[in-house]
Amino acid sequence: MYTSALTRDAGEHDAPGAALVEGRALTKSYDPAHPERLALRGVDLAVKPGEMVAIMGPSGCGKSTLLHLLGGLDVPTDGAVILGGRRLDTLSETKRALVRRRDVGYVFQFFNLIANLSVADNVELPQLLVGRSPAHARARREELLGRLGLAGYGSRAPAELSGGEQQRVALARALANEPAVLLADEPTGNLDSAASGEVVALLEECHAGGQTVVLVTHDPGVGAAAGRLLRMADGRIVSEER
Ligand code: ADP
């Protein structure tokens, strides 16, 4: 039986205006031999349900690191990550992996589809991994591929698709389990402008449908699609525009 880690705890975090995803005083050092070399130097960020937030900043300023921490792909050196009212960073690796599967959708610059699985299987797999029935997984896959302009692509291999099509499959996969938050790391970074425009339009559509989205981008056009734009430099958030 599929139960979201967030809905399981419903009630604990339903105060009005409460953040859905929160980073508090986040620091991150990757090198224990040089703990002073910080990829993040005290980042505070609160994303409300239904918000679309873009993070911009020069290469190496910590954007991907921040996204990884918010999605539970990695843990901070110090500070706290709270998703749906629950501490994420203090969970065991196994529990964090469960929350990631159920409550976080992740889209990467280089798509990261499983090359030897069909498009259909790429979108069904995350659902099977959280215990959804094969029939449910198939129906949800059909719905998503239709919505993302990929009806009829199910039996293809990822390598047979264009970059834009692969990123749309990656988006379908990320949305498969109705994640509480969709995180996208340079989702258009490997696409030409036409494909990039399509992916941004789809992200905006998800947001318009109530999906909470946090994305990292170099592209000011993509940043402009978000309701809130945070700029980072040298491991910190340095400005915010709405
Ligand atoms: P951005 O996404 O803004 O380009 P990153 O978060 O990828 O920045 O990187 C921030 C800093 O952390 C950089 O100095 C980068 O070299 C370093 N870094 C990122 N990931 C790792 C890692 N896995 N191991 C060691 N250093 C890393």
Side-chain angles (χ1 to χ4, degrees):
M1 166 71 194
Y2 174 82
T3 320
S4 157
L6 294 188
T7 50
R8 255 204 326 274
D9 272 359
E12 275 180 23
H13 52 84
D14 52 6
L20 175 65
V21 198
E22 218 181 326
R24 289 188 193 157
L26 293 174
T27 68
K28 179 67 180 176
S29 158
Y30 285 105
D31 185 354
H34 295 280
E36 76 287 356
R37 290 183 194 162
L38 291 173
L40 294 181
R41 306 170 171 271
V43 168
D44 290 297
L45 167 69
V47 179
K48 295 210 177 96
E51 258 197 306
M52 181 165 174
V53 177
I55 302 169
M56 296 188 74
S59 196
C61 73
K63 305 180 297 296
S64 296
T65 299
L66 175 58
L67 216 58
H68 288 170
L69 299 187
L70 296 178
L73 288 174
D74 198 355
V75 290
T77 306
D78 228 325
V81 178
I82 294 140
L83 176 61
R86 305 168 81 207
R87 273 297 279 273
L88 179 58
D89 55 297
T90 50
L91 296 178
S92 67
E93 171 53 41
T94 313
K95 285 192 176 152
R96 214 156 22 88
L98 271 178
V99 174
R100 277 202 306 269
R101 280 184 193 154
R102 288 174 172 161
D103 295 317
V104 180
Y106 222 106
V107 175
F108 302 89
Q109 178 175 358
F110 295 105
F111 325 133
N112 292 8
L113 296 169
I114 301 177
N116 58 358
L117 291 184
S118 67
V119 164
D121 288 345
N122 265 282
V123 182
E124 288 178 35
L125 182 62
Q127 305 182 67
L128 301 175
L129 288 174
V130 298
R132 284 181 167 180
S133 72
H136 184 129
R138 271 197 304 276
R140 175 79 176 143
R141 172 256 291 172
E142 276 303 292
E143 178 209 331
L144 281 167
L145 292 184
R147 225 171 88 194
L148 299 180
L150 294 165
Y153 281 59
S155 61
R156 305 243 202 128
E160 295 168 358
L161 308 185
S162 70
E165 289 164 347
Q166 289 189 56
Q167 195 59 305
R168 283 188 274 145
V169 176
L171 188 54
R173 175 184 60 182
L175 294 170
N177 288 336
E178 284 111 12
V181 62
L182 178 66
L183 303 176
D185 196 347
E186 297 282 6
T188 64
N190 200 35
L191 302 178
D192 64 30
S193 64
S196 175
E198 281 171 21
V199 167
V200 174
L202 289 168
L203 287 170
E204 287 182 288
E205 213 177 287
C206 292
H207 169 55
Q211 176 70 55
T212 308
V213 182
V214 182
L215 66 91
V216 159
T217 184
H218 271 106
D219 182 341
V222 179
R228 182 148 70 110
L229 174 57
L230 305 173
R231 290 190 192 275
M232 288 185 70
D234 197 20
R236 292 193 170 92
I237 293 175
V238 292
S239 72
E240 174 167 346
E241 298 155 35
R242 279 175 196 271

